[in-house]
Amino acid sequence: RSVAEGGGGALPLPPAQARALGAELPLLSAMASEPSTLPEAAAEDYLTKKAVVRLPKPASLVKFLPLRAALVAQKSSEIALPQALLVVASASGKVRLLAPSGEQLVAFSAGHERPVSLLAVSPSWQKGDTLIATGDSGGTIRVHQVFVKAKSGPIVAPRKEAMASLENDTQFLGASVASALQVSVAFRRSLQVEGVGAGAITALAMASQQGSKYFVVGDSEGKVNVFGLDGAFKSRLDGTSTPGAGIEGFYVHQNQLLFRAGPEWGYIDLENLVVKHVECPDFEGMHVITAVIDSERSWRVLVADEEGTIWVLAVRSARTCRVDYKFPRGLTRAPLDLASIRGFVLALERSGGRGEGPGERGGDERGTASLLALNMSHVGKQEADLMRHPSPVVWKTTHRGVRSWAVFRHRQDSLPEGDLAALLSEDGLEVEIFELLMHLRIEVAGESVLLDPYIMVPCIVAAVLIGVWWHYLKYGRAMVKPSGDAAAPRTS
């Protein structure tokens, strides 16, 4: 009551808690009551915060850099080596490498003369270099190679920097990741996209196809510029035929490279330098704001339209397309970003903040963002099959405005099994690192009796005995004749 009447200053409460207690609660009638849109569980059951890193200067981009499997397989007596590092880049060209526990391992300057607007990392290559590529508004791409090596000998160095970490490797418990890894960075090459103006490059990716590795750059004119790993220019492809539409983004999954440009989207064959547009009859004419490839089924593409509705499309031979499933309209709203993990799809809703008024979608003056997980097991099922779990939303959580985010999928053949997610705040001064403890579980409606050997083996033996007995009754007695009839003499 004191907080509500404006007298919260007399209470021994932090300002954030005082504002939360004084906030006006919505009416029950205004809250969502549709069972198909309510979360099935709490976010705390699946989302664990590993660290909160406060940066000295604002950053603008984050990406997870996968490490080679050979490095992760090395054994350490005191601490497990991470499978990926978090790359944090700022517009000034400052790049930091953080461990999943939040420790800063190394920081360097990318060497750009103009503001950095794009960031790309090498995929999970089993063989090859671990690379970071940054692009600025002038069309310059600078590539750096990251060397990561496990230190030998006992690990005794404690953590020095101040940070909020929830892991057991703090300065009070155990050793730090920084004391177990030796990380260094070296500049490799610089690429220049010709024929573009200031701020014209809009997308950057590193991809691998047929054993060859490429740098792919999209621009505001709808062109796709392809460079080899050695920096040699390959070709400039036409990504779209829509006037005024530029390349809005790339998505790399294994040996596939997905692009989107306004109403057009499709795949890029880097080996043959061919752009393959996908035409989906039930989806044609809608603007694709984000598109990702399903992490389990590479022929399935998850897209979101301009309203924020998520569609599941089945794409065969990178040409033919059909709609497999459409999540309920209004379940998610634009602007929206997607990420695919095993069995689920993560959606990040942005509201308020840049480009939207404070009153739109309930955002505050700094903007808010909602992170939710959708269950992909709803795809292909009828309503009768979903009576037990009608909502595809597994969990949902709200955060402050998010400028950039990244998701890393752990390899299934290694530990830890949890995936990682990182959220960069709207002001660029704070990074939250989470672990996603979500495992796919297949529920069987009922165990078939055909799989029970205690039932099937006696049934098979009984069936064989019945068959032999039936054969004896029908044919056996007719074939066996009495001995007295065989010895009787013939009479004429």
mmCIF file with all atom_site columns, all heavy atoms in Angstrom, residues 337-348:
data_model
loop_
_atom_site.group_PDB
_atom_site.id
_atom_site.type_symbol
_atom_site.label_atom_id
_atom_site.label_alt_id
_atom_site.label_comp_id
_atom_site.label_asym_id
_atom_site.label_entity_id
_atom_site.label_seq_id
_atom_site.pdbx_PDB_ins_code
_atom_site.Cartn_x
_atom_site.Cartn_y
_atom_site.Cartn_z
_atom_site.occupancy
_atom_site.B_iso_or_equiv
_atom_site.pdbx_formal_charge
_atom_site.auth_seq_id
_atom_site.auth_comp_id
_atom_site.auth_asym_id
_atom_site.auth_atom_id
_atom_site.pdbx_PDB_model_num
ATOM 1  N N   . ASP A 1 337 ? 12.123 -12.842 -34.880 1.00 0.00 ? 337 ASP A N   1
ATOM 2  C CA  . ASP A 1 337 ? 13.291 -13.606 -35.305 1.00 0.00 ? 337 ASP A CA  1
ATOM 3  C C   . ASP A 1 337 ? 13.100 -15.055 -34.862 1.00 0.00 ? 337 ASP A C   1
ATOM 4  O O   . ASP A 1 337 ? 12.499 -15.321 -33.817 1.00 0.00 ? 337 ASP A O   1
ATOM 5  C CB  . ASP A 1 337 ? 14.581 -13.051 -34.696 1.00 0.00 ? 337 ASP A CB  1
ATOM 6  C CG  . ASP A 1 337 ? 14.964 -11.709 -35.287 1.00 0.00 ? 337 ASP A CG  1
ATOM 7  O OD1 . ASP A 1 337 ? 14.623 -11.475 -36.466 1.00 0.00 ? 337 ASP A OD1 1
ATOM 8  O OD2 . ASP A 1 337 ? 15.576 -10.889 -34.579 1.00 0.00 ? 337 ASP A OD2 1
ATOM 9  N N   . LEU A 1 338 ? 13.647 -15.995 -35.646 1.00 0.00 ? 338 LEU A N   1
ATOM 10 C CA  . LEU A 1 338 ? 13.484 -17.418 -35.373 1.00 0.00 ? 338 LEU A CA  1
ATOM 11 C C   . LEU A 1 338 ? 14.840 -18.093 -35.266 1.00 0.00 ? 338 LEU A C   1
ATOM 12 O O   . LEU A 1 338 ? 15.824 -17.666 -35.877 1.00 0.00 ? 338 LEU A O   1
ATOM 13 C CB  . LEU A 1 338 ? 12.660 -18.102 -36.472 1.00 0.00 ? 338 LEU A CB  1
ATOM 14 C CG  . LEU A 1 338 ? 11.230 -17.622 -36.689 1.00 0.00 ? 338 LEU A CG  1
ATOM 15 C CD1 . LEU A 1 338 ? 10.593 -18.363 -37.859 1.00 0.00 ? 338 LEU A CD1 1
ATOM 16 C CD2 . LEU A 1 338 ? 10.397 -17.793 -35.437 1.00 0.00 ? 338 LEU A CD2 1
ATOM 17 N N   . ALA A 1 339 ? 14.876 -19.183 -34.494 1.00 0.00 ? 339 ALA A N   1
ATOM 18 C CA  . ALA A 1 339 ? 16.042 -20.058 -34.391 1.00 0.00 ? 339 ALA A CA  1
ATOM 19 C C   . ALA A 1 339 ? 15.537 -21.463 -34.138 1.00 0.00 ? 339 ALA A C   1
ATOM 20 O O   . ALA A 1 339 ? 14.570 -21.666 -33.388 1.00 0.00 ? 339 ALA A O   1
ATOM 21 C CB  . ALA A 1 339 ? 16.988 -19.614 -33.281 1.00 0.00 ? 339 ALA A CB  1
ATOM 22 N N   . SER A 1 340 ? 16.167 -22.443 -34.765 1.00 0.00 ? 340 SER A N   1
ATOM 23 C CA  . SER A 1 340 ? 15.726 -23.832 -34.671 1.00 0.00 ? 340 SER A CA  1
ATOM 24 C C   . SER A 1 340 ? 16.703 -24.633 -33.825 1.00 0.00 ? 340 SER A C   1
ATOM 25 O O   . SER A 1 340 ? 17.924 -24.571 -34.026 1.00 0.00 ? 340 SER A O   1
ATOM 26 C CB  . SER A 1 340 ? 15.614 -24.456 -36.068 1.00 0.00 ? 340 SER A CB  1
ATOM 27 O OG  . SER A 1 340 ? 15.258 -25.823 -35.980 1.00 0.00 ? 340 SER A OG  1
ATOM 28 N N   . ILE A 1 341 ? 16.157 -25.373 -32.856 1.00 0.00 ? 341 ILE A N   1
ATOM 29 C CA  . ILE A 1 341 ? 16.914 -26.347 -32.101 1.00 0.00 ? 341 ILE A CA  1
ATOM 30 C C   . ILE A 1 341 ? 16.191 -27.685 -32.217 1.00 0.00 ? 341 ILE A C   1
ATOM 31 O O   . ILE A 1 341 ? 15.108 -27.763 -32.800 1.00 0.00 ? 341 ILE A O   1
ATOM 32 C CB  . ILE A 1 341 ? 17.090 -25.936 -30.621 1.00 0.00 ? 341 ILE A CB  1
ATOM 33 C CG1 . ILE A 1 341 ? 15.728 -25.794 -29.940 1.00 0.00 ? 341 ILE A CG1 1
ATOM 34 C CG2 . ILE A 1 341 ? 17.873 -24.641 -30.520 1.00 0.00 ? 341 ILE A CG2 1
ATOM 35 C CD1 . ILE A 1 341 ? 15.829 -25.458 -28.466 1.00 0.00 ? 341 ILE A CD1 1
ATOM 36 N N   . ARG A 1 342 ? 16.770 -28.721 -31.662 1.00 0.00 ? 342 ARG A N   1
ATOM 37 C CA  . ARG A 1 342 ? 16.229 -30.063 -31.853 1.00 0.00 ? 342 ARG A CA  1
ATOM 38 C C   . ARG A 1 342 ? 14.853 -30.193 -31.203 1.00 0.00 ? 342 ARG A C   1
ATOM 39 O O   . ARG A 1 342 ? 14.712 -30.146 -29.987 1.00 0.00 ? 342 ARG A O   1
ATOM 40 C CB  . ARG A 1 342 ? 17.191 -31.102 -31.277 1.00 0.00 ? 342 ARG A CB  1
ATOM 41 C CG  . ARG A 1 342 ? 16.806 -32.542 -31.573 1.00 0.00 ? 342 ARG A CG  1
ATOM 42 C CD  . ARG A 1 342 ? 17.916 -33.489 -31.196 1.00 0.00 ? 342 ARG A CD  1
ATOM 43 N NE  . ARG A 1 342 ? 17.580 -34.858 -31.544 1.00 0.00 ? 342 ARG A NE  1
ATOM 44 C CZ  . ARG A 1 342 ? 17.125 -35.751 -30.669 1.00 0.00 ? 342 ARG A CZ  1
ATOM 45 N NH1 . ARG A 1 342 ? 16.960 -35.398 -29.410 1.00 0.00 ? 342 ARG A NH1 1
ATOM 46 N NH2 . ARG A 1 342 ? 16.849 -36.972 -31.053 1.00 0.00 ? 342 ARG A NH2 1
ATOM 47 N N   . GLY A 1 343 ? 13.824 -30.349 -32.037 1.00 0.00 ? 343 GLY A N   1
ATOM 48 C CA  . GLY A 1 343 ? 12.471 -30.558 -31.569 1.00 0.00 ? 343 GLY A CA  1
ATOM 49 C C   . GLY A 1 343 ? 11.681 -29.305 -31.269 1.00 0.00 ? 343 GLY A C   1
ATOM 50 O O   . GLY A 1 343 ? 10.479 -29.388 -30.999 1.00 0.00 ? 343 GLY A O   1
ATOM 51 N N   . PHE A 1 344 ? 12.314 -28.125 -31.338 1.00 0.00 ? 344 PHE A N   1
ATOM 52 C CA  . PHE A 1 344 ? 11.638 -26.895 -30.972 1.00 0.00 ? 344 PHE A CA  1
ATOM 53 C C   . PHE A 1 344 ? 12.107 -25.771 -31.895 1.00 0.00 ? 344 PHE A C   1
ATOM 54 O O   . PHE A 1 344 ? 13.133 -25.874 -32.566 1.00 0.00 ? 344 PHE A O   1
ATOM 55 C CB  . PHE A 1 344 ? 11.917 -26.513 -29.508 1.00 0.00 ? 344 PHE A CB  1
ATOM 56 C CG  . PHE A 1 344 ? 11.597 -27.592 -28.518 1.00 0.00 ? 344 PHE A CG  1
ATOM 57 C CD1 . PHE A 1 344 ? 12.573 -28.518 -28.139 1.00 0.00 ? 344 PHE A CD1 1
ATOM 58 C CD2 . PHE A 1 344 ? 10.339 -27.701 -27.975 1.00 0.00 ? 344 PHE A CD2 1
ATOM 59 C CE1 . PHE A 1 344 ? 12.290 -29.518 -27.233 1.00 0.00 ? 344 PHE A CE1 1
ATOM 60 C CE2 . PHE A 1 344 ? 10.047 -28.705 -27.069 1.00 0.00 ? 344 PHE A CE2 1
ATOM 61 C CZ  . PHE A 1 344 ? 11.010 -29.608 -26.703 1.00 0.00 ? 344 PHE A CZ  1
ATOM 62 N N   . VAL A 1 345 ? 11.331 -24.680 -31.887 1.00 0.00 ? 345 VAL A N   1
ATOM 63 C CA  . VAL A 1 345 ? 11.722 -23.464 -32.587 1.00 0.00 ? 345 VAL A CA  1
ATOM 64 C C   . VAL A 1 345 ? 11.621 -22.317 -31.589 1.00 0.00 ? 345 VAL A C   1
ATOM 65 O O   . VAL A 1 345 ? 10.633 -22.189 -30.851 1.00 0.00 ? 345 VAL A O   1
ATOM 66 C CB  . VAL A 1 345 ? 10.841 -23.200 -33.828 1.00 0.00 ? 345 VAL A CB  1
ATOM 67 C CG1 . VAL A 1 345 ? 9.370  -23.170 -33.470 1.00 0.00 ? 345 VAL A CG1 1
ATOM 68 C CG2 . VAL A 1 345 ? 11.241 -21.896 -34.501 1.00 0.00 ? 345 VAL A CG2 1
ATOM 69 N N   . LEU A 1 346 ? 12.672 -21.512 -31.509 1.00 0.00 ? 346 LEU A N   1
ATOM 70 C CA  . LEU A 1 346 ? 12.705 -20.346 -30.628 1.00 0.00 ? 346 LEU A CA  1
ATOM 71 C C   . LEU A 1 346 ? 12.300 -19.115 -31.413 1.00 0.00 ? 346 LEU A C   1
ATOM 72 O O   . LEU A 1 346 ? 12.758 -18.906 -32.544 1.00 0.00 ? 346 LEU A O   1
ATOM 73 C CB  . LEU A 1 346 ? 14.100 -20.155 -30.039 1.00 0.00 ? 346 LEU A CB  1
ATOM 74 C CG  . LEU A 1 346 ? 14.674 -21.320 -29.220 1.00 0.00 ? 346 LEU A CG  1
ATOM 75 C CD1 . LEU A 1 346 ? 16.053 -20.957 -28.686 1.00 0.00 ? 346 LEU A CD1 1
ATOM 76 C CD2 . LEU A 1 346 ? 13.748 -21.703 -28.086 1.00 0.00 ? 346 LEU A CD2 1
ATOM 77 N N   . ALA A 1 347 ? 11.446 -18.298 -30.819 1.00 0.00 ? 347 ALA A N   1
ATOM 78 C CA  . ALA A 1 347 ? 10.969 -17.067 -31.454 1.00 0.00 ? 347 ALA A CA  1
ATOM 79 C C   . ALA A 1 347 ? 11.240 -15.903 -30.523 1.00 0.00 ? 347 ALA A C   1
ATOM 80 O O   . ALA A 1 347 ? 10.940 -15.965 -29.322 1.00 0.00 ? 347 ALA A O   1
ATOM 81 C CB  . ALA A 1 347 ? 9.480  -17.169 -31.770 1.00 0.00 ? 347 ALA A CB  1
ATOM 82 N N   . LEU A 1 348 ? 11.814 -14.840 -31.081 1.00 0.00 ? 348 LEU A N   1
ATOM 83 C CA  . LEU A 1 348 ? 12.092 -13.620 -30.321 1.00 0.00 ? 348 LEU A CA  1
ATOM 84 C C   . LEU A 1 348 ? 11.217 -12.511 -30.863 1.00 0.00 ? 348 LEU A C   1
ATOM 85 O O   . LEU A 1 348 ? 11.384 -12.068 -32.000 1.00 0.00 ? 348 LEU A O   1
ATOM 86 C CB  . LEU A 1 348 ? 13.569 -13.244 -30.424 1.00 0.00 ? 348 LEU A CB  1
ATOM 87 C CG  . LEU A 1 348 ? 13.973 -11.957 -29.699 1.00 0.00 ? 348 LEU A CG  1
ATOM 88 C CD1 . LEU A 1 348 ? 13.837 -12.118 -28.191 1.00 0.00 ? 348 LEU A CD1 1
ATOM 89 C CD2 . LEU A 1 348 ? 15.399 -11.544 -30.064 1.00 0.00 ? 348 LEU A CD2 1
#
